[in-house]
Amino acid sequence: MSDRVISFIQPSRNNLKYLQWSYNSIRKNLGYRHEICWADDFSNDGTWEWMQEIAEKDKNVRIHRNEGPTRLGHTILYDTLVDMATSDIVMIYHADMYACPGMDEAVLDKLTKGSVVSATRIEPPLHPDGPEKVLKDFGIEPEEFDEQGLLSWINEERPEKYTRGIFAPWAMYKEDFLAIGGHDPLYAPQSKEDSDIFNRFVLAGYDLRQTWQGFVYHMTCRGSRFADGAKRNPDGQVFMKNRETDEWLKQNQRSTRNFIRKWGHFVKHDSYMMPIIPPKYNIGFVVENCGLEALQELEPWCSDIYGDWVGHKGFHVNKYIEDEQPNTDFKLSKRIHSQHMNPTNDIVVHIDCQYLNHQNFQMLTQLPEILEEQGEIGEFELDVFSVKVKNLKTYEKDLIVCKK
């Protein structure tokens, strides 16, 4: 048995029954040597009272509360708890995860400085299958959890392999986590903060490993996304589609737009959840006939956008900035320019928005890959767009350290 100790990092908001289920699994299957760090994000379901009761009895539990009234989200609270953790090793761990016996030792066996090690998820069929996880139904709520069925399956299924990729639960040395600045508060309260930090792990040279000797059972997406839990239809089939909360949908849209602003692309990874990171270029869009709808679509995909906005069909660019600025930390007044002349960006794309449609817009979203493949200074036509490449310098490595 390894003598190393893990600090489990578990924020929670109105997730009491899942958190109780998760805590019991850690203590039952992994023992009491590991530290558990909890944050209650202004819950109203008795979570904080229960945490206090447990912390009185279990001296290896550390607790923190956001007193509200505003939700902070796990993007912020993960880092709050990492700072609180007293162990050298931290594990980002969701409140709806059951720790299977031996999970800790399997992770520690693969963990070294400069690496990040994930356990393998076993999940009920709530989301599409993939080679990075096991899709098997041992229950969708704690009330119907088939613990014995899961443990029997685990005893027979421990393949001697590991793959490269990352998804919670993941563990690393606290020193390595702090070295890149932790999670980016740009994504608070939640959504895309994990994809952002995974990209930064890769760019920092960390080795992303997934062990198939250690498992968690993951009920998935409880809390803000599916606030009323999972359900089955009369035939016993699980369904989650189109049941997301309005809160989650709106925040996911905000975080997606901020991810694009920062990285210049959608979240990308291979089938084992290993991040794929296209180059980050300094791209400017010079636009004509650009109204509100086109600006909303185009603005996140460039470093700067230049246009003659005055009097365009009653559209006022300052109104867009005023409405959108609360959704991002990027200073939109410095990204949106009210003139066409002399853009200073390395790559300049001329766009007449009257010809913009869904099909050619997709080409703009793939521009980093196109530029990487072409790899030449000069000018070219891309469907209805004119592209001038002055410099192919890339900036993705400037994003490794989160500047809070």
Side-chain angles (χ1 to χ4, degrees):
M1 177 182 292
S2 172
D3 59 357
R4 292 180 293 175
V5 171
I6 297 170
S7 289
F8 285 83
I9 305 301
Q10 278 191 303
S12 183
R13 181 180 72 140
N14 291 333
N15 262 342
L16 179 56
K17 72 173 180 178
Y18 303 108
L19 191 65
Q20 291 172 328
W21 174 74
S22 182
Y23 168 76
N24 290 333
S25 76
I26 293 172
R27 289 308 187 221
K28 176 180 178 181
N29 295 329
L30 309 184
Y32 282 78
R33 70 188 180 97
H34 298 300
E35 182 176 69
I36 299 175
C37 299
W38 284 329
D40 171 36
D41 196 4
F42 196 54
S43 299
N44 59 12
D45 66 346
T47 292
W48 179 241
E49 291 76 14
W50 178 77
M51 285 181 176
Q52 290 176 299
E53 291 176 11
I54 295 298
E56 282 293 316
K57 298 182 290 185
D58 187 339
K59 298 306 180 183
N60 221 6
V61 168
R62 297 171 64 81
I63 59 175
H64 168 82
R65 189 175 197 225
N66 168 30
E67 298 289 348
T70 303
R71 175 193 177 199
L72 290 177
H74 54 243
T75 300
I76 302 298
L77 292 177
Y78 278 147
D79 290 33
T80 298
L81 292 177
V82 169
D83 288 340
M84 285 175 52
T86 64
S87 304
D88 292 336
I89 296 166
V90 294
M91 177 179 279
I92 300 299
Y93 200 81
H94 294 179
D96 59 357
M97 288 179 170
Y98 173 99
C100 296
M103 183 274 287
D104 53 343
E105 293 299 326
V107 168
L108 291 170
D109 182 61
K110 296 296 183 186
L111 184 65
T112 59
K113 292 286 183 67
S115 72
V116 188
V117 179
S118 300
T120 293
R121 293 167 290 141
I122 305 167
E123 294 183 350
L126 303 174
H127 305 284
D129 199 1
E132 87 291 354
K133 63 184 176 182
V134 176
L135 214 62
K136 201 164 183 64
D137 192 350
F138 294 107
I140 60 173
E141 291 291 323
E143 297 86 346
E144 63 164 60
F145 176 51
D146 181 9
E147 184 176 36
Q148 289 308 310
L150 171 66
L151 296 179
S152 296
W153 185 89
I154 289 291
N155 288 334
E156 299 175 3
E157 301 286 341
R158 290 186 189 270
E160 289 284 349
K161 69 172 184 177
Y162 79 91
T163 50
R164 299 193 72 239
I166 185 168
F167 195 96
W170 48 266
M172 67 189 303
Y173 278 86
K174 179 177 176 177
E175 179 182 3
D176 289 335
F177 180 88
L178 296 176
I180 64 165
H183 291 92
D184 191 338
L186 173 68
Y187 306 100
Q190 101 293 297
S191 189
K192 303 299 182 291
E193 82 294 330
D194 50 356
S195 298
D196 177 273
I197 202 171
F198 298 165
N199 278 7
R200 290 157 49 219
F201 287 160
V202 172
L203 292 173
Y206 296 169
D207 185 12
L208 275 52
R209 310 167 179 173
Q210 178 180 335
T211 175
W212 289 74
Q213 292 281 293
F215 295 92
V216 297
Y217 190 69
H218 183 210
M219 290 194 171
T220 85
C221 297
R222 306 308 157 91
S224 63
R225 184 171 182 180
F226 299 114
D228 56 348
K231 295 182 179 180
R232 297 183 186 273
N233 65 22
D235 295 327
Q237 297 171 317
V238 181
F239 65 98
M240 301 292 273
K241 190 175 180 180
N242 298 324
R243 294 183 55 242
E244 291 91 347
T245 63
D246 288 342
E247 176 193 37
W248 184 87
L249 290 170
K250 291 176 181 177
Q251 176 57 30
N252 186 59
Q253 182 184 49
R254 285 194 293 269
S255 288
T256 298
R257 289 172 66 82
N258 280 320
F259 187 93
I260 294 165
R261 287 184 180 107
K262 181 174 180 178
W263 292 96
H265 59 83
F266 286 122
V267 173
K268 295 178 182 288
H269 51 74
D270 68 15
S271 60
Y272 284 93
M273 306 302 288
M274 185 68 183
I276 297 170
I277 310 170
K280 169 69 172 175
Y281 295 104
N282 180 4
I283 299 173
F285 289 168
V286 177
V287 298
E288 298 177 38
N289 301 306
C290 184
L292 175 60
E293 184 176 350
L295 179 60
Q296 287 174 325
E297 292 296 321
L298 291 170
E299 176 265 315
W301 290 96
C302 58
S303 303
D304 297 275
I305 187 165
Y306 306 81
D308 182 7
W309 319 104
V310 180
H312 179 75
K313 298 179 181 177
F315 163 57
H316 297 284
V317 70
N318 289 339
K319 184 65 165 60
Y320 171 79
I321 294 173
E322 179 184 343
D323 291 344
E324 182 70 8
Q325 190 60 71
N327 296 319
T328 184
D329 293 339
F330 287 87
K331 300 300 181 185
L332 298 181
S333 61
K334 294 183 178 181
R335 293 169 58 86
I336 302 173
H337 309 277
S338 295
Q339 45 87 13
H340 282 71
M341 303 303 292
N342 301 319
T344 59
N345 305 85
D346 295 341
I347 293 103
V348 178
V349 184
H350 287 264
I351 304 169
D352 188 339
C353 295
Q354 65 181 326
Y355 301 115
L356 190 64
N357 58 43
H358 177 74
Q359 287 72 30
N360 56 40
F361 177 78
Q362 298 309 307
M363 295 182 182
L364 295 178
T365 71
Q366 296 163 16
L367 188 57
E369 291 94 332
I370 294 170
L371 293 167
E372 181 182 31
E373 182 177 351
Q374 180 166 303
E376 295 180 358
I377 304 297
E379 300 183 23
F380 65 93
E381 300 297 314
L382 181 66
D383 197 87
V384 298
F385 312 118
S386 297
V387 183
K388 183 176 183 179
V389 181
K390 296 181 285 185
N391 191 328
L392 283 168
K393 180 180 178 181
T394 64
Y395 298 87
E396 63 276 7
K397 289 191 175 180
D398 294 347
L399 305 176
I400 292 174
V401 178
C402 173
K403 299 177 178 62
K404 298 181 180 179

